[in-house]
Amino acid sequence: MPQFSKLSLFASAACCLGALAHADPCDPALVHDLPSLAPFSSVNAMTSWDPDRTGPLGERLVIAGDFTIANTPNVNHVAAWDGTHWSTFGPGLQSAPTVLASIFGKLIVAGPDISPVGGTSLGKMGQWNGTNWQSLPWGSVNGSVSAMKVMGDWLYIGGAFSSAGSQPSANIARWNGVSWQKLGNGLNNNVTALDVVNGEIVACGDFISSGANSVRYVARWDGQAWRPFGNGPGSPVSSMTIHNGQLVVNSGGLLKGWNGTQWDLLSVEGFWNLRFLRSVNGKLYAAGQLEVYQEDPIRSIRCWDGATWSTMQGGLMQGGSAAWVSSLGVFGGNLYATGVITHAGGAPTPGIARWTGSTWSSVGSGWSKYGVSRIFPTAAAVYAIDFADHVARWHEKQWLSVPSPSAPYATQSFWNVQGALHAISYVGGPSTMLRFENDQWTPVGMPFSESVSDLTDFQGQIIARSFASFDNYITRYTPVRWTGNTWLPIGSGFSSESFLVFRDRLYAIGKFAESPSTPGRDFARWDGTAWIPLDIGGSPNARLLHYRDQIFALSDQFLFAWNGASWSTISPPVSGSMRAATIFGGRLVAGGKNIGANGVSLAQWTGTQWQAFGPAFRYGPDLPGYIYSLAVANGTLFVGGDFDRVGSADAYNFARISACSLCPSDLNNDALVDDADFCNFILSYDLMDCTDPAMPASCPSDFNADGLVDDADFTRFVVDYAAFLCPEAD
């Protein structure tokens, strides 16, 4: 091992100046799956906003409501999303606006009271000028605002009010950034929505007249007066949109379209609690807290393709009930829905959800609040399943929801076999195996009685263990194989509990029929025709795995090793439990809670003991996280469980650990701990304090995370420096 003195380190530092500039930062804990909004968030309104109009800054999606955003302080009821990151508006507002709009590069907000945090009330409306919150010139309205719409250089405002600024205005007015203007005689009752049709502003609501003119529920402003659309759609209108060039309104739960001379019924299907309409890419979307006449609740949103309504992968939910949608908007070509929402298409999307045209996803990633129970890397993608059986697919640093098997299937379990995600689903009594391909679940083979689990690949076939007997062939817990159409038993007289394929042979822990009275489990190998007993009564009740060309078994508290003739317990008991294990970078890694020491959720086996591995997983202010699933794909360890923090970063139930965490002394990430890393280390060692402005970001040489690069870190470094090569990742 190299020997150095403190003086020689300082001298060497002079020879290494500039080495830090060559270091490529390593992020050992890749926590990208942060839900933008915390669970139980609600969003009232949204709009698109371009902060510099024709300048280099892109358009942003602005939301308002009651929510918090991970790692984003001073949110306070309003925030902007640029497609990648969230930003805030100064200190925010004391209460949530209910309507948003944008004109002249300014964000306009309206609500019961617009008051900046730390400031005084601006009235019913306010504007963000890029730096501060301000009142509108010449004041705002004296009532409530329900809708805002920009046409040309005017912002049109509708609601329930009698004046705007100093202008008497009956429920509708317009503002040009300087002053207010009334629109003729106004409208005699509430305005609920505004839109632009053929270059004219159109209003809808509860009104029936403008002065002496009859304008029943829908009216257009021609520049001089409000004009009707025929005799009106028949009942008050709560929402409208332009769909394929036609004005479409929600009139008493029925969708009607204006054909130029009269109102036509678009769909015979009617809705209760329909509040919003939006047309995107030739499809019409209806949302609210929907119920179909004479049908069950339909989960708050539906899509009309011109002929039929679709439920959009199960729609939007608030816990076990239909969500309450507060607005629909379009940003980046995608449809966004906000409101009191917890899930969209089965995937957690607190407060706001994005519909791509074929699937739902959260905004700013994020996935399950229920805890991740299983992670499956397949040939096509990495999938995860939570404790509520929601499925998601990992894509470019975020989870995208995967549709659950649709009726009549109800999921029992998921497995990764033959390079694809499979599910075992039941319908009453019979079960069916489903395969996920091309974004849909397809039944495989015929239904079968009861169920199977522990699906495993072996010599090109799927094997499993059955839970009950059927067709007079399968007995409870019997190992079975899939023929392509049904399950058949593998041998007889042996009930399997855990499988392992090792050196192209199939092993199992279970129980032989002839040894029912022996206290322990039995260990057996399949020789192609029968189960050969390797151990009777001395095998652990544990999960099988192989590590360094040897068979091991992992129970909740112990690690066992098979020496070719018998099992031995090789680890001391853990105070908590171990729920998952895998091989990562040549290391045996286990996940659970309180492994080896209290507070340790992820640990590696050193050969004699369990030792903490990677960053700490935490749940809440002072509890250890609970890890339920581990999987390795593309040199990265995927971790799922119940936790909300990894190291110092927020992470909700999912995180990744990169291979560079296996070799922290490799400071320039070239798979070697060599002289270049030595130069990087001693320059940090010379600075010592991680808060020093000259210290590299994240202080990578502080291996024990105590805020100092000191002798303890130096001792760790020289061990790795002597080894020279970093261990290879799987």
Side-chain angles (χ1 to χ4, degrees), residues 306-344:
T308 59
W309 290 97
S310 65
T311 57
M312 301 171 64
Q313 294 185 347
L316 303 169
M317 298 294 292
Q318 177 193 353
S321 305
W324 182 260
V325 177
S326 62
S327 65
L328 288 179
V330 179
F331 179 68
N334 294 325
L335 177 74
Y336 286 74
T338 69
V340 185
I341 302 169
T342 60
H343 284 77

Side-chain angles (χ1 to χ4, degrees), residues 37 132 173 177 277 412 504 662:
L37 276 59
N132 299 300
L277 295 172
Q412 279 183 289
D504 204 33
L662 303 174

Side-chain angles (χ1 to χ4, degrees), residues 107-462:
L107 177 68
I108 311 298
V109 300
D113 179 68
I114 304 301
S115 298
V117 172
T120 59
S121 176
L122 306 179
K124 303 290 185 180
M125 301 180 68
Q127 63 178 337
W128 174 257
N129 66 4
T131 306
N132 299 300
W133 290 103
Q134 297 177 329
S135 59
L136 269 61
W138 300 97
S140 59
V141 300
N142 67 345
S144 63
V145 176
S146 300
M148 295 193 287
K149 187 70 178 181
V150 173
M151 187 177 75
D153 290 333
W154 291 96
L155 175 65
Y156 291 78
I157 297 164
F161 51 85
S162 59
S163 67
S166 60
Q167 290 287 326
S169 303
N171 303 311
I172 191 162
R174 66 180 185 179
W175 179 74
N176 63 6
V178 177
S179 61
W180 289 95
Q181 186 180 91
K182 67 177 184 177
L183 299 177
N185 293 319
L187 299 163
N188 77 323
N189 212 332
N190 297 342
V191 173
T192 57
L194 298 169
D195 213 327
V196 177
V197 180
N198 297 325
E200 295 178 328
I201 199 75
V202 175
C204 68
D206 302 326
F207 53 82
I208 59 172
S209 65
S210 174
N213 295 333
S214 175
V215 286
R216 302 185 68 84
Y217 312 124
V218 187
R220 61 183 177 86
W221 175 252
D222 68 0
Q224 301 296 322
W226 289 100
R227 306 299 182 186
F229 285 80
N231 294 322
S235 59
V237 173
S238 62
S239 55
M240 63 180 171
T241 192
I242 310 303
H243 177 59
N244 294 335
Q246 183 181 31
L247 175 63
V248 177
V249 302
N250 164 36
S251 179
L254 295 173
L255 299 186
K256 297 181 179 181
W258 176 251
N259 67 12
T261 58
Q262 65 180 16
W263 292 97
D264 296 327
L265 188 64
L266 252 63
S267 168
V268 296
E269 194 168 39
F271 301 92
W272 295 109
N273 297 326
L274 172 58
R275 301 183 63 212
F276 300 99
L277 295 172
R278 181 69 71 166
S279 179
V280 184
N281 299 325
K283 294 183 178 180
L284 179 63
Y285 296 89
Q289 193 172 33
L290 300 183
E291 295 179 20
V292 184
Y293 292 162
Q294 300 178 343
E295 291 187 19
D296 293 331
I298 61 164
R299 301 189 178 181
S300 299
I301 191 166
R302 274 197 171 185
C303 174
W304 172 256
D305 63 7
T308 59
W309 290 97
S310 65
T311 57
M312 301 171 64
Q313 294 185 347
L316 303 169
M317 298 294 292
Q318 177 193 353
S321 305
W324 182 260
V325 177
S326 62
S327 65
L328 288 179
V330 179
F331 179 68
N334 294 325
L335 177 74
Y336 286 74
T338 69
V340 185
I341 302 169
T342 60
H343 284 77
T349 53
I352 182 169
R354 174 175 51 208
W355 175 254
T356 65
S358 59
T359 188
W360 289 103
S361 67
S362 60
V363 176
S365 193
W367 188 50
S368 178
K369 69 175 184 179
Y370 293 109
V372 176
S373 62
R374 304 291 299 276
I375 298 176
F376 296 114
T378 72
V382 175
Y383 296 92
I385 293 90
D386 71 5
F387 286 102
D389 283 341
H390 300 123
V391 186
R393 175 173 59 89
W394 181 253
H395 176 70
E396 295 182 355
K397 300 183 180 180
Q398 68 172 329
W399 291 108
L400 300 178
S401 67
V402 168
S404 298
S406 57
Y409 303 108
T411 303
Q412 279 183 289
S413 57
F414 295 90
W415 306 94
N416 172 27
V417 287
Q418 295 187 341
L421 184 65
H422 286 68
I424 302 297
S425 294
Y426 64 87
V427 186
S431 296
T432 300
M433 183 162 65
L434 306 172
R435 183 182 178 98
F436 187 71
E437 289 182 310
N438 301 320
D439 291 328
Q440 62 182 0
W441 292 97
T442 303
V444 181
M446 301 294 293
F448 44 90
S449 177
E450 296 303 328
S451 186
V452 297
S453 69
D454 294 332
L455 275 63
T456 304
D457 288 311
F458 177 58
Q459 295 181 345
Q461 288 188 315
I462 299 175

Side-chain angles (χ1 to χ4, degrees), residues 600-671:
V600 175
S601 303
L602 187 64
Q604 62 174 326
W605 177 245
T606 66
T608 58
Q609 63 181 344
W610 291 106
Q611 183 182 80
F613 176 74
F617 288 74
R618 308 296 296 172
Y619 186 85
D622 54 8
L623 296 175
Y626 210 138
I627 292 173
Y628 293 100
S629 184
L630 299 171
V632 176
N634 301 320
T636 298
L637 178 65
F638 288 75
V639 183
D642 276 324
F643 48 84
D644 57 22
R645 195 165 68 257
V646 177
S648 60
D650 290 332
Y652 295 90
N653 304 326
F654 167 79
R656 300 182 298 149
I657 296 179
S658 69
C660 67
S661 64
L662 303 174
C663 195
S665 298
D666 178 21
L667 296 171
N668 63 355
N669 301 324
D670 63 356

